[in-house]
Amino acid sequence: MDTLHYLILSMLLFIVGAVGFIVKKNIISIFLCLELMLNAVNLSFVAFSRQLNQVHGQIFVFFVMVVAAAEAAVGLAITIVLYRNRNTLNVDDADVMKW
Amino acid sequence: MTDYLWLIPLVPLAGAAINGLAGKRFPKPVVSLIACGASGIAFILAIVSFFELLQYAPDQRHLLRVYFTWIASGDFVAKAEFLLDPLSAVMILVVTGVGFLIHIYSIGYMHAEDGYYRFFAYMNLFLFAMLILVLSGNFLMMFVGWEGVGLCSYLLIGYYFDRRSAGDAGKKAFIVNRIGDVGFILGVFLIFMTFNSLNFGEVFRQIAEGADRFPVEAGVGVLTAIGLLLFVGATGKSAQIPLYVWLPDAMEGPTPVSALIHAATMVTAGVYMVVRCSPVFSRAPIAMEVVMVVGVVTALVAATIGLVQTDIKRVLAYSTVSQLGYMFVAAGMGAFSAGIFHLMTHAFFKALLFLGAGSVIHAMSGEQDLMRMGGLRKHTPITFWTMLIAALAISGIFPLAGFFSKDEILWSAWSNGHPFIWIIGLITAGLTAFYMFRLVFLAFFGKARYSDEVRHHLHESPSSMTGPLMVLGILSIAGGFIGLPAWLGPNRFFHFLEPSLAFTLATEHGEPSHFVELGFAALSILAAVTGIYVAYRMYIAHPDRADSLAARWQGIHRLLYRKYYVDELYDAAIVNPMLNASTRTLWKQTDVGIIDRAVNGAGEMIQGMASILKNVQNGLIRSYAAWILLGTVAILLYFSMFRS
């Protein structure tokens, strides 16, 4: 298969993630969309790595995964705290950080 | 030799630093020991340096000690240098000597005051600044001392800062002095422009050696301009017309301050400066004329005001202004030595008068009104006798100190061909005798005019106060003998001062005739005795005559009592227009109308723009995400479409 197919799939995944991130209100869903975007990027890393016959892209993927795992831990902690304090998972209710 | 010269001002500075920084924690005896010790050490060093100076040949008595280069900027070099010559030697002896006595006196006078340590710290700081002023070897350091004494004067006038009048008086003194200082500093600029140096010796040598460049000026030349500008400074510091108005108000300060700063030392700085610059003045006849006329008018006007004042310290304040006028008359006639001589004797008897007045006020539980005193002679005998000596001395009764110095000035006036000045001087001498003995008679003689409560507290002052009184009393008696007139013997004082006036053009002296001079001395004594006799008639023989005279000449009495309405005149002519202009134009129009509006306008403009933009910052994560996405897309589009 051509690299282009992978990239198209990656792009579709990213768009789904991005649109989901913007339209969804539930914080868990937003999280999932975020992971989706990260993995879309991972996919294109891997695809390029294969085409260019270099290992750099795959190493980068590991970095992204580690960061994503750390980010998931922090994000879920924030989610729990948000629920405890506000009794909601709707991100639109958490809008006090403004002028 | 004389390498310790720098210690003379530095020791009082150290005393001021110790007391000012840590004095709050010391007990009072320690504070006074430090302060009096510092001034005492300075006095001893001054005596030592005086005797070392005497060991030099008279024409070698110009010891310049350069310590370090203070400012160096292109051509302009100012060094930290002290000059010890006969003139500055006399000044440091007077300043440290009288200063030391007044420090001792203050221990007793100030013992019950709050901020005891603050008082002594300021006093020592004043000594430091005054010694810098008189020891300085160039005009710039002199200006440092000049400003330093002004600052200390301000701080000490406002010593009772919880009293509004004291704060106002301090501000008045400071601001009026500032007007004079502008003239002084302009004069210094002009000196530097003309001579490219600020060192006394260098400037005066150039004047003396460049006779073709600096002739005796018939009209207004550069020397006249320098002289007049410097004299503006002197009128401020030495309280001459038109800037004398601050000195009577300065009596708000504690009495030792009035004695030290506003009678004996600081106010004479202007006289000292004019004499120091005598090489300039002696070649600028117009400036001399101005100095003389201002001096004589001040002497007369201040003496007439002093006739009717009822506050004991104000009488003395106007007397000081008047005596300073005498000194300027002397300087303006070219009798510079006579001016310094009167400066010295005046320091003795005027310090004594003020300290005596302080002793009276102390005894009277703070009462300063002469009309509520009377008969104190029995209660405070030492104060009475010493004040009587001082009053006789200032009146010019032979053979006390004031006679020799004042008579020297009057005689110079006549022999230098200024008969009109002589007549005014003689009248002023009579007035001086009158108001001084009016003070003595009202305070120490007659019936007691105070309440029983005050009478109950009446007491002679402690020995720390009467001691300095007695020492100054002796000086007021004997201080004049170092400057005997020609008909009595050689004038050692004038001879001693001669090296300091080496570059000064001598003014013509009339035919010295001892017989004529003796006659004039008799005339001035006669004027003094007349003044005393009139005071006796009015205040002892017929105690009600003063009131009936005041009632008959109500207009004149009122005019004098209100001090010729000069304060009111200044208020109407200068202070109020300035206040109004500042309020209307500078404050309401410029500051509020333009500057504030511009600043606020800038802020409001930004707020207006922000009120639109701030809607972006709505706290919604999803909207932020959308903006990030949009931004990323826009950047990507830009790079892919326009940059490739």
Side-chain angles (χ1 to χ4, degrees), chain B residues 32 35-44 47 92-110 116 119-120 123-124 126-127 255-261 264-265 344-356 386 462-477:
Chain B
S32 35
C36 297
S39 54
I41 290 171
F43 181 43
I44 291 168
I47 293 174
I92 57 174
L93 281 177
V94 171
V95 169
T96 55
V98 177
F100 176 58
L101 289 174
I102 294 175
H103 270 75
I104 302 240
Y105 176 92
S106 306
I107 298 174
Y109 189 80
M110 300 298 288
Y116 189 75
F119 176 83
F120 277 106
M123 290 286 270
N124 270 3
F126 166 77
L127 275 188
T255 308
V257 171
S258 311
L260 177 60
I261 300 187
T265 55
M344 187 188 75
T345 56
H346 174 256
F348 297 150
F349 55 67
K350 188 51 68 66
L352 175 52
L353 283 168
F354 266 110
L355 295 186
T386 49
S463 55
S464 67
M465 288 167 71
T466 50
L469 287 181
M470 289 187 275
V471 175
L472 284 169
I474 292 166
L475 286 172
S476 300
I477 295 171

Side-chain angles (χ1 to χ4, degrees), chain B residues 609-625:
Chain B
M609 291 193 294
S611 68
I612 302 165
L613 275 175
K614 73 180 177 187
N615 293 323
V616 175
Q617 204 131 43
N618 53 13
L620 294 174
I621 296 170
R622 302 186 305 126
S623 115
Y624 294 162

Side-chain angles (χ1 to χ4, degrees), chain A residues 21-24 92 98-99, chain B residues 614 617-619 622 625 629:
Chain A
F21 192 99
I22 292 168
V23 300
K24 293 302 256 185
D92 286 0
K98 61 181 178 184
W99 54 268
Chain B
K614 73 180 177 187
Q617 204 131 43
N618 53 13
R622 302 186 305 126
L629 195 67

Side-chain angles (χ1 to χ4, degrees), chain B residues 275-292:
Chain B
V275 174
R276 174 61 80 197
C277 301
S278 55
V280 177
F281 280 94
S282 61
R283 288 169 180 79
I286 293 180
M288 294 278 271
E289 198 89 352
V290 171
V291 172
M292 183 172 72

